[in-house]
C-alpha cells in the first residue's frame, strides 16, 4: 500500500467526515503536524510509496519537510501537475483548483515541484487526464516529458471521470520516437466504480506502474449506507474487517494493482486502512462486491455533487 496526501495537504476536500477528522481550525501548522504524524505511522508500518500533487495545497511542502528530517531509504515519491491550487487555504473558496494540461503549466509546475522535492521525485504524473486532454495530443508537451524521463523520473498520468478506460488506452498509445511515453497510471478503482479495471490490466501488462486512488470512493465505502449495507454488512461480519479495510483489500486483490493508496486523514483511519494488507478475500466474496458497481456516469455524477468541506 501507499499513502496519498490529498486529504491532509489542504483544509478543504470532498471526502466525507472531514468536519470530525481534521484538527480544529485546520491551520497550516496543525495540518503539517497531522500530515507528518500520518507519514510517520505509514512508514513505520512498511509503506514506502507516498503520493502528492501541486493542487493538494501544501502537500509537496509537507512531504518535503518530512523527507528532510532524516534519511529514509527505499521510498518512492510521486506527484502530479496539471491542476493549480486556488483556494488560498480556505474551505469556502468558490474555486479550489483550476485544470490546465498545457506546456506552460507543466513548465511552471515541474519547477515548483523540483524546488520542493528535488531529485527525490520518482514519478511525475499529468493530473486527471480525460479524453481530449493536451497530454494525449500535444507533441511539444510530449517532448518536454521525455526530457523529464531522461532525468530519471517516471512519466505518468492519473485519470478521472466516466471515460477513464478510454483515457488510459489513449495514453498507452502515445509514443515519442517509437517509445511509449507514459509508464505510470493512477486511476480511480473501487467496488462502486470498477470500470477502468480492464484498461488498468492492459497498462500493467504493458509494463506500467499501476496505482489505485479513491479506493474508498471518497469515504462512501467506509460509512453506513442503506444501499450498500445489504452487501457490505454480511461481508464485514464474515471477515471481521471494517468497511474501509474490506474495500482496500478488494483493490489489493486486483492482480494488476502495484500500489493501492490510502487517503486517510487520521491515525485511526490509517491503522484500519493498513489492515487491508493482511486480509484475504475469497473469490466468492470478491464476486459479491461486484454487486455494488454503479454505472460510470452515475458514480461520477454523485462524486461531482460531494461538497468541499
Amino acid at each position: 500500500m501507499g499513502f496519498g496526501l490529498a486529504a491532509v495537504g489542504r483544509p478543504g476536500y470532498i471526502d466525507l467526515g472531514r468536519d470530525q477528522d481534521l484538527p480544529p481550525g485546520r491551520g497550516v501548522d496543525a495540518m503539517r503536524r497531522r500530515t507528518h504524524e500520518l507519514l510517520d505511522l505509514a512508514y513505520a508500518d512498511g509503506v514506502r510509496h507516498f503520493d502528492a500533487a501541486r493542487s493538494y495545497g501544501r502537500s509537496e511542502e509537507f512531504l518535503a519537510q518530512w523527507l528532510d528530517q532524516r534519511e529514509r531509504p527505499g521510498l518512492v515519491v510521486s506527484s502530479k501537475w496539471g491542476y493549480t491550487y486556488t483556494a488560498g487555504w480556505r474551505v469556502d473558496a468558490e474555486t479550489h483548483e483550476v485544470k490546465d494540461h498545457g506546456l506552460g503549466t507543466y513548465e511552471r509546475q515541474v519547477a515548483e515541484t523540483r524546488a520542493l522535492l528535488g531529485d527525490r521525485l520518482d514519478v511525475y504524473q499529468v493530473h486527471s487526464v480525460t479524453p481530449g486532454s493536451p497530454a494525449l495530443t500535444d507533441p511539444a508537451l510530449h517532448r518536454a516529458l521525455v526530457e523529464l524521463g531522461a532525468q530519471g523520473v517516471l512519466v505518468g498520468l492519473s485519470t478521472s471521470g466516466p471515460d477513464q478506460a478510454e483515457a488510459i488506452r489513449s495514453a498507452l498509445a502515445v509514443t515519442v520516437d517509437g517509445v511509449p511515453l507514459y509508464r505510470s497510471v493512477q486511476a480511480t478503482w473501487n467496488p462502486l466504480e470498477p470500470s477502468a479495471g480492464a484498461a488498468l490490466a492492459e497498462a500493467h501488462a504493458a509494463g506500467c506502474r499501476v496505482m489505485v486512488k479513491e479506493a474508498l470512493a471518497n469515504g462512501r465505502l467506509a460509512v453506513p449506507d442503506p444501499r450498500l449495507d445489504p452487501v457490505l454488512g454480511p461481508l464485514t461480519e464474515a471477515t471481521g474487517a471494517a468497511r474501509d479495510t474490506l474495500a482496500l483489500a478488494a483493490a489489493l486483490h486486483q492482480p494488476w494493482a502495484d500500489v493501492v493508496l490510502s487517503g486517510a486523514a487520521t491515525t485511526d483511519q490509517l491503522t484500519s486502512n493498513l489492515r487491508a494488507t493482511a486480509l484475504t478475500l475469497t473469490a466468492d466474496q470478491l464476486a459479491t462486491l461486484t454487486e455494488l458497481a454503479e454505472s460510470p456516469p452515475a458514480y461520477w455524477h454523485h462524486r461531482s455533487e460531494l461538497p468541499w468541506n
Side-chain angles (χ1 to χ4, degrees):
M1 284 188 65
F3 178 69
L5 280 69
V8 290
R10 54 192 165 182
Y13 191 47
I14 61 173
D15 280 352
L16 304 180
R18 289 174 62 78
D19 51 337
Q20 293 90 32
D21 295 341
L22 295 180
R26 307 184 195 183
V28 173
D29 289 341
M31 293 295 284
R32 179 187 293 108
R33 287 192 296 271
R34 172 63 60 83
T35 300
H36 288 182
E37 183 180 23
L38 290 164
L39 290 169
D40 283 339
L41 176 58
Y43 185 79
D45 216 327
V47 173
R48 294 296 180 267
H49 188 125
F50 298 96
D51 183 69
R54 288 304 306 148
S55 64
Y56 295 170
R58 295 184 178 229
S59 64
E60 288 183 339
E61 174 189 324
F62 293 169
L63 179 57
Q65 291 166 341
W66 180 76
L67 292 170
D68 288 341
Q69 292 174 0
R70 62 178 180 274
E71 188 69 22
R72 293 182 174 90
L75 297 187
V76 175
V77 174
S78 60
S79 194
K80 296 178 285 294
W81 71 273
Y83 273 90
T84 298
Y85 179 67
T86 58
W89 209 258
R90 290 173 50 197
V91 177
D92 61 350
E94 183 175 345
T95 303
H96 289 261
E97 52 191 14
V98 175
K99 183 177 182 179
D100 183 351
H101 289 168
L103 178 60
T105 296
Y106 165 72
E107 291 175 337
R108 170 174 58 85
Q109 292 197 317
V110 71
E112 293 167 344
T113 297
R114 284 295 209 186
L116 289 167
L117 294 173
D119 59 7
R120 297 171 297 196
L121 178 67
D122 299 298
V123 186
Y124 208 42
Q125 304 162 104
V126 193
H127 200 165
S128 292
V129 171
T130 54
S133 166
L136 302 173
T137 59
D138 184 353
L141 175 61
H142 294 166
R143 287 288 178 185
L145 292 173
V146 166
E147 292 177 9
L148 181 67
Q151 299 169 23
V153 177
L154 196 66
V155 173
L157 75 159
S158 73
T159 62
S160 61
D163 300 312
Q164 285 191 109
E166 179 184 347
I168 293 166
R169 292 185 172 112
S170 295
L172 293 176
V174 174
T175 60
V176 178
D177 297 331
V179 178
L181 175 61
Y182 295 112
R183 309 308 300 149
S184 175
V185 178
Q186 180 176 329
T188 294
W189 186 96
N190 58 63
L192 298 178
E193 169 39 332
S195 66
L200 291 171
E202 294 166 23
H204 181 79
C208 292
R209 183 182 185 90
V210 174
M211 290 179 264
V212 173
K213 63 183 175 74
E214 299 183 353
L216 299 183
N218 299 103
R220 292 177 62 194
L221 287 165
V223 299
D225 183 313
R227 191 186 78 78
L228 309 182
D229 292 348
V231 172
L232 292 179
L235 284 175
T236 58
E237 291 181 12
T239 61
R243 292 183 180 220
D244 63 294
T245 308
L246 186 68
L248 286 159
L252 288 166
H253 276 68
Q254 304 309 306
W256 39 259
D258 295 303
V259 179
V260 176
L261 295 172
S262 162
T266 72
T267 54
D268 285 346
Q269 289 174 358
L270 182 56
T271 298
S272 185
N273 286 182
L274 294 175
R275 293 191 182 110
T277 61
L279 179 60
T280 300
L281 300 176
T282 68
D284 286 345
Q285 289 168 337
L286 290 168
T288 298
L289 284 170
T290 65
E291 299 173 15
L292 297 177
E294 301 174 346
S295 72
Y299 176 88
W300 289 99
H301 174 74
H302 188 288
R303 185 184 184 279
S304 72
E305 296 294 311
L306 293 174
W308 288 79
N309 61 72

